[in-house]
Amino acid sequence: MNSADPVSGYQTHEQPPGPGRPARSEGTARRVALAICTIADIAAGLLGLWIALYLLDANQANPFVEFVHGMADWLSGWAQDIFTMDTEGLRVVLNYGLPAVIYLLIGHGIAARLNRV
């Protein structure tokens, strides 16, 4: 029974290596691509979690909420205050959502490129 590929566009382990490419380097490229996807997904997940916690008015004094907020601030530090809206909720969604989308696009784009080579 063949295992289903969790991400479309990526080669499965059952497929032979591409022309002129040894199996070992292809496996390494797949592992690096998976690591990059995982890091991008975790970064975007933390940013999305902070947006949800903020919009749901989570207790800011809770250690878990503080941790998520600190990580989200660190991950989106380069994009803070790109959008200056009067509505605080919309400002949080845009200023933390944009970096989340960019991390996903760049991370998965690099991983797809590694799998294509």
Side-chain angles (χ1 to χ4, degrees), residues 1-15:
M1 179 174 193
N2 288 346
S3 63
D5 189 16
V7 182
S8 63
Y10 296 114
Q11 288 184 328
T12 61
H13 293 285
E14 290 86 24
Q15 294 175 342

Side-chain angles (χ1 to χ4, degrees), residues 50-101:
W50 168 243
I51 292 170
L53 289 172
Y54 182 84
L55 293 177
L56 294 172
D57 201 26
N59 179 8
Q60 301 286 323
N62 182 287
F64 176 72
V65 176
E66 286 179 358
F67 170 76
V68 173
H69 187 202
M71 291 301 296
D73 279 344
W74 182 76
L75 288 167
S76 66
W78 57 270
Q80 286 301 308
D81 297 327
I82 288 179
F83 302 101
T84 54
M85 308 291 186
D86 291 335
T87 308
E88 187 68 18
L90 182 60
R91 186 188 64 77
V92 168
V93 168
L94 292 175
N95 284 323
Y96 289 94
L98 176 66
V101 170

Side-chain angles (χ1 to χ4, degrees), residues 27-43:
T28 302
R30 267 198 307 271
R31 285 190 294 276
V32 170
L34 180 62
I36 290 171
C37 280
T38 303
I39 291 168
D41 291 346
I42 290 171

